[in-house]
Amino acid sequence: MNLRLIWFLKNLRSFDVKKVIVLFVVLFLFAACEKSGEEIANVNGKKITKADFENDVANLPPQYKAMASSPDVKKAIIENLVMTELLLQEAEKQGLFKDPDVKKSLEMQKNEIILNAEAEIQMLKNQKKNAEKTAKKEVAIRELIEGRDFLDVATKEEDLRGQYDSYAESSKARNPGAEIPEYSDVREDIRLATARQKWLEELREKAEITVNESFISEEGSDFEKQLQGIQIQ
């Protein structure tokens, strides 16, 4: 058992509640720091820590982060960290980073990473700023479009059949050997898509909408120009 935890348990009764809570938080933070520094691999005496592993996981695309807890993926990530460390050590050994051309390339790469990070930070700031508006949009789409069957919107059977025939004809033209599903198998999908589109068109027709055409012709928005003008500090 952790020595700090043993000491904490022995002296628990002598503290008031507030001090106990503060002490517990401090001990928790110490434990977290120790765990982050936990060695998970070693390359020629250079430690690779759990924090290094977590940094690599943090840079993974969202769909892959959930997989990082599996032993196979952990092993692959650690192997990548090991090989990267080996390459870094070999580069240092060869004096690679002292070469003028390599130093120039290194500086360019660093600046590109910083630029990308600045752009990402700006994007995240905008996401946070517009969080409520974005959430409302997503809920509106989910509830009004994705969550409806649109049975209250009238569709004509001949229109549905016509769309199917057009789809089948174009599919065969692109790929003569393609298997075309039966109309009965896809009719409901066609009806739903048709009814949804009809409902959206009717919604638009009832609204008063104006579009600033001059904005469309502009080369870039202020936000895009701001991103392009980010300076390396």
Side-chain angles (χ1 to χ4, degrees):
M1 186 180 291
N2 189 296
L3 292 177
R4 293 191 186 91
L5 182 57
I6 294 173
W7 179 85
F8 170 72
L9 293 173
K10 285 182 178 179
N11 294 275
L12 181 60
R13 293 182 180 179
S14 63
F15 293 104
D16 60 37
V17 176
K18 289 183 179 179
K19 288 181 179 179
V20 168
I21 293 173
V22 171
L23 183 58
F24 180 79
V25 171
V26 171
L27 289 173
F28 176 80
L29 292 174
F30 268 122
C33 290
E34 288 178 349
K35 202 165 186 180
S36 294
E38 177 186 347
E39 183 177 315
I40 59 174
N42 192 295
V43 182
N44 295 325
K46 176 67 181 295
K47 289 198 304 182
I48 295 176
T49 66
K50 186 178 179 182
D52 297 322
F53 175 88
E54 290 171 346
N55 285 337
D56 260 28
V57 171
N59 290 325
L60 289 174
Q63 63 268 31
Y64 295 117
K65 286 182 181 179
M67 301 166 59
S69 59
S70 75
D72 288 343
V73 176
K74 277 185 177 179
K75 185 176 180 180
I77 294 173
I78 292 173
E79 179 62 21
N80 182 65
L81 287 167
V82 167
M83 293 306 300
T84 301
E85 179 57 35
L86 273 174
L87 290 172
L88 282 171
Q89 290 182 14
E90 183 62 23
E92 293 285 359
K93 182 179 177 181
Q94 294 185 18
L96 192 63
F97 298 128
K98 295 179 182 179
D99 182 277
D101 290 336
V102 174
K103 288 175 71 175
K104 183 178 179 181
S105 177
L106 180 63
E107 188 66 20
M108 290 175 61
Q109 184 69 25
K110 183 184 75 172
N111 289 344
E112 183 179 347
I113 291 170
I114 293 173
L115 277 172
N116 290 337
E118 291 287 353
E120 186 77 14
I121 290 169
Q122 184 63 46
M123 182 187 71
L124 292 173
K125 284 181 178 179
N126 277 277
Q127 286 182 358
K128 182 179 180 181
K129 179 181 177 181
N130 299 313
E132 183 175 357
K133 186 176 182 180
T134 302
K136 284 182 176 179
K137 288 179 183 178
E138 292 177 357
V139 170
I141 291 171
R142 184 172 66 245
E143 296 297 325
L144 295 179
I145 297 180
E146 296 174 358
R148 289 184 58 191
D149 54 22
F150 292 94
L151 291 173
D152 56 325
V153 179
T155 55
K156 295 180 180 180
E157 188 64 27
E158 56 266 31
D159 292 339
L160 303 183
R161 186 77 201 199
Q163 289 188 49
Y164 171 80
D165 291 340
S166 296
Y167 157 75
E169 185 178 344
S170 61
S171 295
K172 287 180 179 178
R174 289 194 304 270
N175 183 5
E179 291 187 12
I180 308 300
E182 295 293 330
Y183 173 66
S184 58
D185 294 334
V186 295
R187 181 191 178 281
E188 177 55 23
D189 291 334
I190 297 173
R191 183 207 66 79
L192 181 60
T194 302
R196 180 188 294 135
Q197 185 61 32
K198 184 178 179 181
W199 182 81
L200 288 171
E201 288 174 356
E202 290 175 351
L203 188 67
R204 185 179 177 85
E205 287 174 1
K206 293 175 184 177
E208 293 183 6
I209 300 171
T210 59
V211 177
N212 186 344
E213 298 295 337
S214 63
F215 172 78
I216 296 175
S217 63
E218 289 178 2
E219 291 186 2
S221 67
D222 291 339
F223 175 63
E224 290 170 335
K225 292 174 182 176
Q226 183 180 356
L227 289 181
Q228 293 170 3
I230 291 174
Q231 299 294 320
I232 302 297
Q233 300 297 324

